[in-house]
Coordinates of all heavy atoms in Angstrom, one line a residue:
M3 N 114.6 54.7 69.1 CA 115.6 55.6 69.6 C 115.2 57.0 69.1 O 115.0 57.1 67.9 CB 117.0 55.2 69.2 CG 118.0 56.1 69.7 SD 119.7 55.6 69.3 CE 119.9 56.4 67.7
I4 N 115.2 58.0 69.9 CA 115.0 59.3 69.4 C 116.2 59.8 68.7 O 117.3 59.8 69.1 CB 114.7 60.3 70.6 CG1 113.4 59.9 71.3 CG2 114.7 61.8 70.2 CD1 112.1 60.3 70.5
V5 N 115.9 60.3 67.5 CA 117.0 60.9 66.6 C 117.0 62.4 66.7 O 118.0 63.0 66.9 CB 116.8 60.5 65.2 CG1 117.8 61.2 64.3 CG2 116.9 59.0 65.0
C6 N 115.8 63.0 66.6 CA 115.7 64.4 66.7 C 114.9 64.8 67.9 O 113.6 64.6 68.0 CB 115.0 65.0 65.4 SG 114.7 66.7 65.4
V7 N 115.6 65.3 68.9 CA 114.9 65.6 70.2 C 114.0 66.8 70.0 O 112.9 66.8 70.5 CB 116.0 65.9 71.3 CG1 115.4 66.4 72.6 CG2 116.8 64.6 71.5
C8 N 114.5 67.8 69.3 CA 113.7 69.0 69.1 C 112.3 68.8 68.5 O 111.3 69.4 68.9 CB 114.4 70.0 68.2 SG 116.0 70.6 68.9
N9 N 112.2 67.8 67.6 CA 111.0 67.5 66.9 C 110.3 66.2 67.4 O 109.3 65.8 66.8 CB 111.1 67.6 65.4 CG 111.5 68.9 64.9 OD1 110.7 69.9 65.0 ND2 112.7 69.1 64.4
A10 N 110.9 65.6 68.4 CA 110.4 64.3 68.9 C 110.2 63.3 67.8 O 109.2 62.7 67.6 CB 109.2 64.5 69.7
K11 N 111.3 63.1 67.0 CA 111.2 62.1 65.9 C 112.2 60.9 66.2 O 113.4 61.2 66.4 CB 111.6 62.7 64.5 CG 110.8 63.9 64.1 CD 109.3 63.5 63.9 CE 108.5 64.7 63.5 NZ 107.1 64.5 63.5
N12 N 111.7 59.7 66.2 CA 112.6 58.6 66.4 C 113.1 58.0 65.1 O 112.6 58.4 64.0 CB 111.8 57.5 67.3 CG 110.6 56.9 66.6 OD1 110.6 56.9 65.4 ND2 109.6 56.5 67.4
S13 N 114.0 57.0 65.3 CA 114.6 56.5 64.1 C 113.6 55.8 63.2 O 113.8 55.8 61.9 CB 115.8 55.6 64.4 OG 115.4 54.5 65.3
Q14 N 112.6 55.1 63.8 CA 111.6 54.4 63.0 C 110.8 55.4 62.1 O 110.6 55.2 60.9 CB 110.7 53.6 63.9 CG 109.6 52.9 63.1 CD 108.7 52.0 63.9 OE1 108.9 51.9 65.1 NE2 107.7 51.4 63.3
T15 N 110.5 56.5 62.7 CA 109.7 57.6 61.9 C 110.6 58.1 60.8 O 110.1 58.3 59.6 CB 109.3 58.7 62.8 OG1 108.4 58.2 63.8 CG2 108.6 59.8 62.1
V16 N 111.9 58.4 61.1 CA 112.7 58.9 60.0 C 112.9 57.9 58.9 O 112.8 58.2 57.7 CB 114.1 59.3 60.6 CG1 115.1 59.7 59.5 CG2 114.0 60.4 61.7
R17 N 113.1 56.6 59.3 CA 113.3 55.5 58.3 C 112.1 55.4 57.4 O 112.1 55.2 56.2 CB 113.6 54.2 59.0 CG 115.1 54.1 59.4 CD 115.3 52.7 60.0 NE 116.7 52.4 59.8 CZ 117.2 51.9 58.7 NH1 116.5 51.7 57.7 NH2 118.5 51.7 58.6
E18 N 110.9 55.4 58.1 CA 109.7 55.2 57.3 C 109.5 56.4 56.3 O 109.0 56.2 55.2 CB 108.5 55.1 58.2 CG 108.4 53.8 59.0 CD 107.3 53.8 60.1 OE1 106.6 54.8 60.3 OE2 107.2 52.7 60.7
T19 N 109.8 57.6 56.8 CA 109.7 58.8 55.9 C 110.7 58.6 54.7 O 110.3 58.9 53.6 CB 110.1 60.0 56.7 OG1 109.1 60.2 57.7 CG2 110.0 61.3 55.8
L20 N 111.9 58.2 55.0 CA 112.9 58.1 53.9 C 112.5 56.9 52.9 O 112.7 57.1 51.7 CB 114.3 57.8 54.5 CG 114.8 59.0 55.4 CD1 116.1 58.5 56.1 CD2 115.1 60.2 54.5
T21 N 112.0 55.8 53.5 CA 111.7 54.7 52.6 C 110.5 55.1 51.7 O 110.5 54.7 50.5 CB 111.3 53.5 53.5 OG1 112.4 53.2 54.3 CG2 110.9 52.3 52.6
G22 N 109.6 55.9 52.2 CA 108.5 56.3 51.3 C 108.8 57.4 50.4 O 107.9 57.8 49.6
A23 N 109.9 58.0 50.5 CA 110.3 59.2 49.6 C 111.8 59.1 49.3 O 112.6 59.8 49.8 CB 110.0 60.5 50.4
P24 N 112.1 58.2 48.3 CA 113.5 58.0 48.0 C 114.2 59.2 47.4 O 115.5 59.2 47.3 CB 113.5 56.8 47.0 CG 112.1 56.8 46.5 CD 111.2 57.4 47.5
H25 N 113.5 60.3 47.0 CA 114.1 61.5 46.5 C 114.7 62.3 47.5 O 115.5 63.3 47.2 CB 113.0 62.3 45.7 CG 111.9 62.8 46.6 ND1 110.9 61.9 47.0 CD2 111.7 63.9 47.2 CE1 110.1 62.6 47.8 NE2 110.5 63.8 47.9
I26 N 114.4 62.0 48.8 CA 114.9 62.9 49.9 C 116.4 62.6 50.0 O 116.9 61.5 50.2 CB 114.3 62.5 51.2 CG1 112.8 62.9 51.2 CG2 115.0 63.2 52.4 CD1 112.0 62.5 52.4
G27 N 117.2 63.7 49.9 CA 118.7 63.6 49.9 C 119.4 64.4 50.9 O 120.6 64.3 51.1
T28 N 118.6 65.2 51.7 CA 119.3 66.0 52.7 C 118.5 65.9 54.0 O 117.3 65.7 54.0 CB 119.3 67.5 52.3 OG1 118.0 68.0 52.3 CG2 120.0 67.7 51.0
P29 N 119.2 66.1 55.2 CA 118.4 66.1 56.4 C 117.3 67.2 56.5 O 116.3 67.0 57.0 CB 119.5 66.4 57.5 CG 120.8 65.9 56.8 CD 120.6 66.2 55.4
A30 N 117.6 68.3 55.9 CA 116.5 69.4 55.9 C 115.3 68.9 55.1 O 114.2 69.1 55.5 CB 117.1 70.7 55.3
A31 N 115.5 68.2 54.0 CA 114.4 67.7 53.2 C 113.7 66.6 54.0 O 112.4 66.5 53.9 CB 114.9 67.1 51.9
A32 N 114.4 65.8 54.8 CA 113.8 64.8 55.6 C 112.9 65.5 56.7 O 111.8 65.0 56.9 CB 114.8 63.9 56.3
H33 N 113.4 66.5 57.3 CA 112.6 67.3 58.2 C 111.3 67.8 57.6 O 110.2 67.6 58.1 CB 113.3 68.4 58.8 CG 114.3 68.0 59.9 ND1 115.5 67.6 59.7 CD2 114.0 68.0 61.3 CE1 116.1 67.4 60.9 NE2 115.2 67.6 61.9
R34 N 111.4 68.4 56.4 CA 110.2 68.9 55.7 C 109.2 67.8 55.4 O 108.0 67.9 55.6 CB 110.6 69.6 54.4 CG 111.2 71.0 54.6 CD 111.3 71.7 53.3 NE 112.1 71.1 52.3 CZ 113.5 71.2 52.2 NH1 114.1 72.0 53.1 NH2 114.1 70.6 51.3
A35 N 109.7 66.6 55.0 CA 108.8 65.5 54.7 C 108.1 65.0 56.0 O 107.1 64.4 55.9 CB 109.6 64.3 54.1
M36 N 108.7 65.2 57.2 CA 108.1 64.8 58.4 C 107.2 66.0 59.0 O 106.7 65.8 60.1 CB 109.2 64.4 59.4 CG 109.9 63.1 59.1 SD 111.0 62.5 60.3 CE 112.4 63.8 60.2
G37 N 107.1 67.1 58.2 CA 106.3 68.2 58.7 C 106.9 69.0 59.7 O 106.2 69.7 60.5
C38 N 108.2 69.1 59.8 CA 108.9 70.0 60.7 C 110.1 70.5 60.1 O 110.4 70.4 58.9 CB 109.3 69.2 62.0 SG 110.3 67.7 61.7
K39 N 110.9 71.2 60.9 CA 112.2 71.8 60.3 C 113.3 71.7 61.4 O 113.0 71.6 62.6 CB 112.0 73.2 59.8 CG 111.6 74.2 60.9 CD 111.4 75.5 60.3 CE 110.8 76.5 61.3 NZ 110.6 77.8 60.7
P40 N 114.6 71.6 61.0 CA 115.6 71.5 61.9 C 115.6 72.8 62.8 O 115.3 73.9 62.4 CB 116.9 71.5 61.1 CG 116.4 71.1 59.7 CD 115.0 71.6 59.6
Q41 N 115.9 72.5 64.1 CA 116.0 73.6 65.0 C 117.5 73.7 65.6 O 118.2 74.6 65.1 CB 115.0 73.4 66.2 CG 113.6 73.4 65.6 CD 112.5 73.2 66.6 OE1 112.6 73.7 67.7 NE2 111.5 72.4 66.3
C42 N 117.9 72.9 66.4 CA 119.3 73.0 67.0 C 120.3 72.4 66.0 O 121.4 72.8 66.0 CB 119.4 72.3 68.3 SG 119.5 70.5 68.2
G43 N 119.9 71.5 65.2 CA 120.8 70.9 64.2 C 121.6 69.8 64.6 O 122.4 69.2 63.8
R44 N 121.5 69.4 65.9 CA 122.4 68.3 66.4 C 122.0 66.9 65.8 O 122.8 66.0 65.8 CB 122.3 68.2 67.9 CG 122.9 69.3 68.6 CD 123.3 69.1 70.0 NE 122.3 68.3 70.8 CZ 122.2 68.4 72.1 NH1 122.9 69.2 72.8 NH2 121.3 67.6 72.7
C45 N 120.8 66.8 65.2 CA 120.4 65.5 64.6 C 120.9 65.4 63.2 O 120.7 64.3 62.6 CB 118.9 65.3 64.7 SG 118.0 66.6 63.8
L46 N 121.3 66.5 62.6 CA 121.6 66.4 61.1 C 122.6 65.3 60.7 O 122.3 64.6 59.7 CB 122.0 67.8 60.7 CG 121.0 68.9 60.9 CD1 121.5 70.2 60.3 CD2 119.7 68.6 60.3
P47 N 123.7 65.1 61.4 CA 124.6 64.0 61.0 C 123.9 62.7 61.1 O 124.1 61.8 60.3 CB 125.8 64.1 62.0 CG 125.7 65.6 62.4 CD 124.3 66.0 62.5
A48 N 123.1 62.4 62.2 CA 122.4 61.1 62.3 C 121.4 60.9 61.2 O 121.3 59.8 60.7 CB 121.8 61.1 63.7
I49 N 120.7 62.0 60.9 CA 119.7 61.8 59.8 C 120.4 61.6 58.4 O 120.0 60.9 57.6 CB 118.7 63.0 59.8 CG1 117.9 63.0 61.0 CG2 117.9 63.0 58.5 CD1 116.9 64.1 61.2
A50 N 121.6 62.3 58.3 CA 122.3 62.1 57.0 C 122.8 60.6 57.0 O 122.8 60.0 55.9 CB 123.5 63.0 57.0
D51 N 123.2 60.0 58.1 CA 123.6 58.6 58.1 C 122.4 57.7 57.7 O 122.5 56.8 57.0 CB 124.1 58.2 59.5 CG 125.5 58.8 59.8 OD1 126.1 59.3 58.8 OD2 125.9 58.8 60.9
L52 N 121.2 58.1 58.3 CA 120.0 57.3 58.0 C 119.6 57.4 56.5 O 119.2 56.4 55.9 CB 118.8 57.7 58.8 CG 118.9 57.3 60.3 CD1 117.8 58.0 61.1 CD2 118.7 55.8 60.4
I53 N 119.8 58.6 55.9 CA 119.6 58.7 54.5 C 120.5 57.8 53.7 O 120.0 57.1 52.8 CB 119.8 60.2 54.0 CG1 118.7 61.1 54.6 CG2 119.8 60.3 52.5 CD1 118.9 62.6 54.4
E54 N 121.7 57.7 54.1 CA 122.7 56.9 53.4 C 122.3 55.4 53.6 O 122.4 54.6 52.6 CB 124.1 57.2 53.9 CG 125.2 56.5 53.1 CD 125.3 57.0 51.7 OE1 124.9 58.1 51.4 OE2 125.9 56.2 50.9
E55 N 122.0 55.0 54.8 CA 121.6 53.6 55.1 C 120.4 53.2 54.2 O 120.4 52.1 53.6 CB 121.2 53.5 56.6 CG 122.4 53.4 57.5 CD 122.0 53.3 58.9 OE1 121.0 52.7 59.2 OE2 122.8 53.8 59.8
V56 N 119.3 54.0 54.2 CA 118.1 53.7 53.5 C 118.4 53.6 52.0 O 117.9 52.8 51.3 CB 117.0 54.6 53.8 CG1 115.8 54.5 52.9 CG2 116.5 54.5 55.3
R57 N 119.3 54.6 51.5 CA 119.6 54.6 50.1 C 120.3 53.3 49.7 O 120.1 52.7 48.7 CB 120.5 55.8 49.8 CG 120.8 56.1 48.4 CD 121.5 57.4 48.2 NE 120.6 58.5 48.3 CZ 121.0 59.8 48.5 NH1 122.3 60.0 48.6 NH2 120.2 60.7 48.6
N58 N 121.3 52.8 50.6 CA 122.0 51.6 50.3 C 121.1 50.4 50.4 O 121.2 49.5 49.5 CB 123.1 51.4 51.3 CG 124.3 52.4 51.1 OD1 124.4 52.9 50.0 ND2 125.0 52.7 52.1
E59 N 120.1 50.4 51.3 CA 119.2 49.3 51.4 C 118.3 49.2 50.2 O 118.0 48.1 49.6 CB 118.3 49.4 52.7 CG 119.0 49.2 54.0 CD 118.3 49.7 55.2 OE1 117.1 50.1 55.1 OE2 118.9 49.6 56.3
N60 N 117.9 50.4 49.7 CA 117.0 50.4 48.5 C 117.8 50.0 47.3 O 117.3 49.3 46.4 CB 116.5 51.9 48.2 CG 115.4 52.2 49.2 OD1 114.8 51.4 49.8 ND2 115.2 53.5 49.4
A61 N 119.1 50.3 47.2 CA 120.0 49.8 46.1 C 120.1 48.3 46.1 O 120.1 47.7 45.0 CB 121.3 50.5 46.2
V62 N 120.2 47.7 47.3 CA 120.3 46.3 47.4 C 119.0 45.6 46.9 O 119.0 44.7 46.1 CB 120.7 45.8 48.8 CG1 120.5 44.3 49.0 CG2 122.1 46.2 49.1
V63 N 117.9 46.2 47.4 CA 116.6 45.6 47.0 C 116.4 45.7 45.5 O 116.0 44.8 44.8 CB 115.4 46.4 47.7 CG1 114.1 46.0 47.1 CG2 115.5 46.0 49.2
T64 N 116.8 46.8 44.9 CA 116.7 47.0 43.5 C 117.5 46.0 42.7 O 117.1 45.4 41.7 CB 117.0 48.5 43.1 OG1 116.1 49.4 43.8 CG2 116.9 48.7 41.6
A65 N 118.8 45.8 43.2 CA 119.7 44.9 42.5 C 119.2 43.5 42.6 O 119.2 42.7 41.6 CB 121.1 45.0 43.2
L66 N 118.6 43.1 43.8 CA 118.1 41.8 43.9 C 116.9 41.6 43.0 O 116.7 40.5 42.4 CB 117.7 41.5 45.4 CG 118.9 41.4 46.3 CD1 118.4 41.3 47.8 CD2 119.7 40.2 46.0
A67 N 116.0 42.6 42.9 CA 114.8 42.5 42.1 C 115.3 42.3 40.6 O 114.6 41.6 39.8 CB 113.9 43.7 42.3
A68 N 116.3 43.1 40.2 CA 116.8 43.0 38.8 C 117.4 41.6 38.5 O 117.4 41.2 37.3 CB 117.8 44.1 38.6
A69 N 117.9 41.0 39.5 CA 118.6 39.7 39.3 C 117.6 38.6 39.1 O 117.9 37.5 38.6 CB 119.5 39.4 40.5
D70 N 116.3 38.8 39.6 CA 115.3 37.7 39.5 C 114.9 37.6 38.0 O 114.8 38.3 37.2 CB 114.1 38.1 40.3 CG 114.4 37.7 41.8 OD1 115.3 37.0 42.1 OD2 113.6 38.2 42.6
Ligands
FES124 S1 117.7 67.4 67.5 FE1 116.9 67.7 65.5 S2 116.8 69.8 65.3 FE2 117.5 69.6 67.3

């Protein structure tokens, strides 16, 4: 699914970018990591949601690894 129409970035690309760079905390930083920048800004809430989702997934993985 396309998340950022202006930069033709789909949710898989955004997720892969976020997974590979856990320090990314803002939609603008996510755009920079993908080699582009926000234009219209309509995707910013969706990218913020993806940042939160990936952060939560990483926390679960870390907690499971620590439990082993
Ligand atoms: S949809 Fe992402 S900047 Fe316009």
Side-chain angles (χ1 to χ4, degrees):
M3 178 178 95
I4 293 290
V5 174
C6 179
V7 174
C8 296
N9 293 297
K11 302 297 182 190
N12 62 29
S13 58
Q14 182 177 353
T15 297
V16 176
R17 282 184 152 278
E18 287 172 0
T19 299
L20 296 172
T21 300
H25 62 282
I26 293 174
T28 65
H33 278 88
R34 283 193 298 275
M36 293 186 288
C38 58
K39 59 184 176 181
Q41 295 179 43
C42 76
R44 290 197 327 204
C45 62
L46 298 182
I49 292 179
D51 288 347
L52 286 171
I53 289 170
E54 189 67 23
E55 283 178 29
V56 170
R57 190 174 281 163
N58 289 337
E59 290 166 6
N60 288 340
V62 168
V63 169
T64 300
L66 289 174
D70 282 342

